[in-house]
Each structure stands twice: as structure tokens, then as C-alpha cells.
Amino acid sequence: SHLFLLSYNCKTLNIKKKTIQQCIISKVIIENNWTFISIAHDNSYFLHYSHFFKEQEKIKVVYKEAFALLNIKSLQRCFGNFFTKRTKELKPALHSAPGWKLFGKVPPRENFQKDSKIIQQEYEARTGRTCKPPPQATRRKNFEFEPLSTTALILEDRPSNLPAKSIEEALRHRQEYDEMVAEAKKREIKEAHKRKRIMKERFKQEENIASAMVIWINEILPNWEGMRTTRRVRELWWQGLPPSVRGKVWSLAIGNELNITHELYEIFLSRAKERWKSFSETNSENDVEDAGVSVADREASLELIKLDISRTFPSFYIFQKGGPYHDLLHSVLGAYTCYRPDVGYVQGMSFIAAVLILNLEEADAFIAFANLLNKPCQLAFFRVDHSMMLKYFAAFEVFFEENLPKLFLHFKSYSLTPDIYLIDWIFTLYSKSLPLDLACRVWDVFCRDGEEFLFRTGLGILRLYEDILLQMDFIHIAQFLTKLPEDITSEKLFSCIAAIQMQNSNKKWAQVS
């Protein structure tokens, strides 16, 4: 076995492996009974290693498209016994370029640089070939594919000391190359069409949002009480609220039954700050009990807030310590624990408060947060009212069996009850399990339809992934439903939600729950 160095001027030298210090594997080709490994050195030479392996069972080759640097030891690991055991020193190679020798570096020669035109002329004189000037850099049209140098290596002739390709082999290699280029071109065209389609959909969505925003601002919001229940507004609401009016519509839809004012929020916020200060300075538990809740419980709530904030939308980094909304979220949650000490802080509240903060001013976010958690469904879950929670789960299963009987039986076979996945969805109003933009659209319709839509959304998710869930066992179902795929789209989800019928034996959700 030998290593052959083939330079561009077609001069061939036999080189033993010990003289190789560094080289780069650029291409591996297996043809019939021959293996060709092209190794580029300084982008000027190709090193070809060949070995007849008809009698061998398997041959290990390493293909590095990215040109990984290798030394002789790594070459020995790659090709094992293919290299000869004997080593001989090669005579020093001649300098082929200024400051360059084949296997090492020499100090650069001063003031000796050939112009590119001179190099081209020497090459043409030596090979008899005429090099066409490179075309002007123009914008690629019709998605033309320009293969890398290593891609076209399959078309190169073999070194003169190796058996030449047969006509059949050459034709086959040309066909394989054309197929590779065609496949790459097809893939590039497909990706371009996909990008174009996405951009077109995005522009269309932006246009719809802009036109809807005008309608909401000029027509609906000024006449809120008279238009909120009309068919036109409900249909527009289903399509999603424009971000610029989302917070305002949420506030109006949630309402303020508790009659909380901005001044009341400031009072409870100041209490929370005093409590944080006293806990941090004295860590005392000698304060009197307030509303039947011990100081230890309140302290636990305040400590839990600090811990939970760091886990709220961690990928955004805006609610973590040092982020622009960290203190704001801390203030809203702290003020709520003082406002409702009977409820305190429960894990999951931070996600709800964070979504409201992203769409409302601080005080308005607190007012919407307190009123939202005062709704029957949220109050039952956050106060851990087991009897009420079981009623909600039972009602959910009624509509689950009605809409998705096959999946319902599959869940039953594994004794997988709704509390395993519904609790997390309800506690965070889907803001933890769904992408934020999709969760906000769920919130839009939730503010319109109330608690029924939360459970309808759950059934829509199960319908969307029914085929996948039917193939899973208990553990994988629970893991899958806890963190849903990030590529879920609003169009697919809302089409599944629309297909869910919240009616059983002429009884609606309110009657069943």
C-alpha cells in the first residue's frame, strides 16, 4: 500500500506515511474494488490513497466534508493495517511556492510574490489548457446550484499509476453527479418556496391585524357594552386580538368585580415591601397572625415567589433577576399575597401575572390578575378545593368521551386521569405548555367564553395529537402533554378546538359542571 501525491501539474511522487505531518481528508470515493481517499494539503495538492480490497470484509473510511485536520496517528487509526509497516525518509521536497514546502513551513521569502495572472499563464503553458476568466459576480437566478469542489471530485480521472475508469464507470459517475446536483437544486427550490409561502402568510396576517385594529379602536371599544356580544365581534374575537388592543380588551372582558383601584394596589404593594424588608432584616416570626394565616406561611409564599419568578419564561430572560420585568412581576405577586392571604402564592401564578404584565400597565395588570383569580374555576384550583376540582375533572371526562371515544378508552386502559395533565394547563392558563403567542390567542377566546373554553382547548389539544397519543404509554403521554411541541400552529389548534362540541345529551358545559 502506498500514498500518492498528485499535484495540479500531474507530477506524481510516491511518499511514505512517516513523512506526512498534517493533511486534510476532503473526499472518499469507493469504486468497484478500489477506495480513493482525497486529502487536500494547503488547497493546492490532493493526496490519493488506494488499496485493493476485494478480499476484505469491511473497510473503515472517514469522510470529513468540513475538512477536519488530521495527523499521521489519526490516519493510522482510520485506515489501520492498510498502511505499510515500513517507513522510509523522503528526500526534502522542493519549494513549490514562496515560504512553503510540502510537509512543513519555512520562513517566507521577502518581496517574492507572484501575480495571479503570472501563475495562470504558467499553468496554461505547463498543461496546455486555457482557463476561462471567472464570471462576474451576479445575483443567482432560477436557483442555480454551484457545487463545492469536493462534490465534483467523483468526475476526476484517477492518477496515471492506477487503473483508468471504464466508459461505464465514467458514465455512471456522471449520472450520480447529475443526480446529486438535481437533488440539491430541488431541495433549494423547495426551501425557497417554503420561505416565500411563510413570508406571504406573515404579510397577510399583518394586514389582517392592521385592519382588525382599526375596527377595534374606532368601532368596538367606544361601544363596548353594546357590541361585545354581537356576532361580528365574536367572530373577529375568535381570529385573535391585535396586540395593541389586547390588554384593553382583556381588562374589559375580565372586569373588576372586586372594585380594586390603583391606590389600593399601592397600599398592598407597600405592605409587601415592608414585609420583605422585615423578613430579610430580622427573619422574625413573632408578628401577629393576620386573617388566620401564620407568618411562617406568608414567609413561605414570599420565598416561593422569588424561586418561581426565576422559572417564569426562562428563555425570554426578561423576568429573571436583572431583567426589565423581574421587579414588576415580583411586585404584582407580592401585593397579591397581601391582598389575598387566604390564597397566598401558588406555583403557576407567576405565568398568569407575567402574561398580564406583558400586555398591561403594572396596576392594571394587578387588577386583572386579582379579578381573574377570583373566578370560580381559578379560585377552586388555586385554593386546592378538591371537591370542586373533581367536579371539573368529571365534567371534562364527559365531553372527552363524547368527542374522542377512542383516545378516551386508551387513557382509561392506562388509568390516566385528567388531573395528570389538566392541573398544569389550568394553573398557568396554557401559558407554560404552549408557545406564548398561541397562549395569548387562547387567552383571547377564554376572556370571551370563560372557563368552558379552557377545557375545550384541552380537548382540542388531545384531538390534534390523537394519532400520536394512541401510540404512547402512560409515561410518554404524561411527558408529552406537560410540554407540547413548539411547532404547534394556531391554525391547526383552533381548527381542532372548533371541531369540539361542548354539548352532551342536550346539556351544555355549565349544566354538566
Side-chain angles (χ1 to χ4, degrees):
S1 301
H2 291 84
L3 288 172
F4 299 97
L5 178 68
L6 179 63
S7 68
Y8 275 53
N9 60 10
C10 299
K11 292 181 180 179
T12 305
L13 299 173
N14 292 337
I15 298 177
K16 296 300 180 181
K17 64 178 182 180
K18 192 173 182 181
T19 62
I20 303 173
Q21 295 177 350
Q22 282 190 337
C23 53
I24 305 169
I25 292 182
S26 62
K27 190 70 176 178
V28 175
I29 305 174
I30 300 176
E31 303 175 6
N32 293 341
N33 298 326
W34 293 87
T35 301
F36 297 91
I37 299 109
S38 291
I39 306 177
H41 197 294
D42 192 44
N43 295 326
S44 300
Y45 296 90
F46 287 99
L47 211 67
H48 290 267
Y49 168 71
S50 62
H51 185 77
F52 189 72
F53 66 93
K54 186 173 181 180
E55 302 299 327
Q56 301 289 341
E57 293 181 2
K58 288 186 178 180
I59 290 190
K60 281 184 131 185
V61 293
V62 175
Y63 173 64
K64 294 285 186 183
E65 189 70 43
F67 299 110
L69 283 174
L70 299 175
N71 54 28
I72 184 59
K73 290 185 179 180
S74 62
L75 281 174
Q76 288 175 329
R77 287 197 297 270
C78 293
F79 304 110
N81 295 328
F82 289 161
F83 288 103
T84 177
K85 300 290 184 181
R86 295 174 300 171
T87 59
K88 294 182 180 179
E89 296 294 332
L90 184 70
K91 294 180 180 180
L94 297 175
H95 293 263
S96 57
W100 159 255
K101 64 179 181 180
L102 287 179
F103 301 107
K105 291 183 179 179
V106 296
R109 301 176 186 177
E110 295 183 359
N111 301 325
F112 189 85
Q113 291 186 352
K114 288 186 178 181
D115 186 75
S116 59
K117 292 184 178 179
I118 298 175
I119 296 174
Q120 180 179 339
Q121 291 172 359
E122 291 179 354
Y123 173 77
E124 291 175 356
R126 195 166 55 244
T127 61
R129 299 179 182 178
T130 303
C131 295
K132 296 180 180 180
Q136 293 290 332
T138 58
R139 186 176 180 180
R140 293 171 62 185
K141 298 181 180 179
N142 300 325
F143 310 107
E144 293 179 358
F145 176 73
E146 300 173 2
L148 296 174
S149 59
T150 55
T151 308
L153 191 62
I154 193 173
L155 300 177
E156 296 291 331
D157 294 331
R158 294 187 188 132
S160 58
N161 59 306
L162 296 178
K165 292 182 181 180
S166 64
I167 297 176
E168 292 78 9
E169 275 187 314
L171 290 174
R172 179 166 55 83
H173 288 169
R174 165 57 66 178
Q175 183 180 359
E176 290 175 357
Y177 172 73
D178 291 341
E179 289 175 356
M180 285 189 292
V181 173
E183 186 66 27
K185 188 176 180 180
K186 188 189 300 182
R187 185 169 56 252
E188 188 173 348
I189 292 173
K190 185 178 179 181
E191 291 175 355
H193 286 322
K194 184 180 179 181
R195 289 193 297 269
K196 186 177 179 180
R197 187 180 69 255
I198 292 173
M199 290 299 296
K200 188 176 180 180
E201 291 175 354
R202 187 175 297 170
F203 289 146
K204 184 179 179 181
Q205 185 180 11
E206 290 176 356
E207 289 176 359
N208 292 337
I209 290 173
S211 59
M213 180 183 65
V214 174
I215 297 173
W216 279 99
I217 293 175
N218 297 333
E219 299 179 30
I220 301 174
L221 291 178
N223 306 289
W224 174 252
E225 293 300 330
M227 295 189 66
R228 63 177 297 181
T229 57
T230 60
R231 182 177 180 180
R232 181 193 177 200
V233 173
R234 289 181 64 83
E235 289 178 353
L236 199 62
W237 210 330
W238 175 269
Q239 297 171 10
L241 297 171
S244 57
V245 300
R246 176 168 277 150
K248 180 65 175 178
V249 175
W250 284 0
S251 294
L252 292 171
I254 293 171
N256 188 11
E257 295 179 353
L258 300 174
N259 295 317
I260 302 174
T261 61
H262 288 205
E263 291 76 18
L264 189 62
Y265 167 66
E266 294 295 336
I267 292 171
F268 286 112
L269 178 59
S270 62
R271 288 186 186 179
K273 289 181 178 179
E274 290 174 3
R275 192 163 294 162
W276 290 328
K277 186 177 180 180
S278 64
F279 283 143
S280 60
E281 290 179 354
T282 64
N283 198 22
S284 173
E285 296 186 5
N286 298 323
D287 297 340
V288 296
E289 294 189 358
D290 182 21
V293 180
S294 67
V295 174
D297 290 338
R298 290 201 302 271
E299 183 178 4
S301 289
L302 295 174
E303 290 300 318
L304 188 57
I305 289 172
K306 293 181 181 179
L307 178 64
D308 223 19
I309 286 177
S310 63
R311 298 181 294 200
T312 304
F313 297 119
S315 59
F316 295 165
Y317 302 106
I318 57 177
F319 295 107
Q320 281 64 48
K321 193 168 184 178
Y325 290 107
H326 174 270
D327 294 340
L328 200 60
L329 181 57
H330 200 268
S331 298
V332 171
L333 295 173
Y336 182 78
T337 59
C338 293
Y339 174 70
R340 290 298 298 267
D342 58 321
V343 178
Y345 177 79
V346 181
Q347 282 184 305
M349 286 183 178
S350 62
F351 280 89
I352 297 176
V355 174
L356 291 170
I357 287 171
L358 290 174
N359 291 276
L360 291 163
E361 296 296 328
E362 181 178 352
D364 294 325
F366 174 79
I367 294 170
F369 181 70
N371 281 276
L372 184 59
L373 266 56
N374 198 52
K375 303 291 183 183
C377 180
Q378 278 63 49
L379 202 58
F381 275 80
F382 283 112
R383 296 186 72 172
V384 197
D385 187 337
H386 290 287
S387 60
M388 283 299 297
M389 291 172 68
L390 290 175
K391 287 181 180 180
Y392 280 112
F393 294 147
F396 176 82
E397 286 196 305
V398 170
F399 293 99
F400 187 3
E401 185 177 13
E402 181 75 18
N403 287 275
L404 305 167
K406 192 174 180 180
L407 186 60
F408 177 79
L409 292 176
H410 182 67
F411 278 27
K412 279 290 184 183
S413 66
Y414 285 108
S415 300
L416 200 152
T417 53
D419 57 289
I420 293 174
Y421 50 92
L422 269 184
I423 286 180
D424 190 54
W425 292 351
I426 302 301
F427 267 108
T428 62
L429 300 182
Y430 295 97
S431 56
K432 182 181 178 183
S433 302
L434 293 175
L436 182 58
D437 57 339
L438 183 52
C440 285
R441 188 172 170 188
V442 170
W443 278 48
D444 292 343
V445 188
F446 162 62
C447 291
R448 187 194 76 171
D449 295 348
E451 64 185 38
E452 174 185 329
F453 189 73
L454 294 178
F455 296 93
R456 190 180 180 190
T457 300
L459 293 173
I461 292 171
L462 297 179
R463 181 186 180 90
L464 178 61
Y465 295 109
E466 181 178 11
D467 294 337
I468 298 174
L469 294 171
L470 285 171
Q471 307 300 322
M472 294 182 176
D473 57 14
F474 181 96
I475 297 297
H476 290 94
I477 291 173
Q479 292 175 341
F480 182 87
L481 295 178
T482 300
K483 184 61 178 176
L484 298 169
E486 293 186 0
D487 60 352
I488 181 173
T489 61
S490 58
E491 290 77 15
K492 290 181 179 179
L493 176 59
F494 272 76
S495 64
C496 289
I497 295 173
I500 298 297
Q501 299 297 321
M502 298 300 285
Q503 189 168 343
N504 176 263
S505 301
N506 297 323
K507 290 184 179 180
K508 296 184 178 181
W509 170 264
Q511 296 171 307
V512 176
S513 60

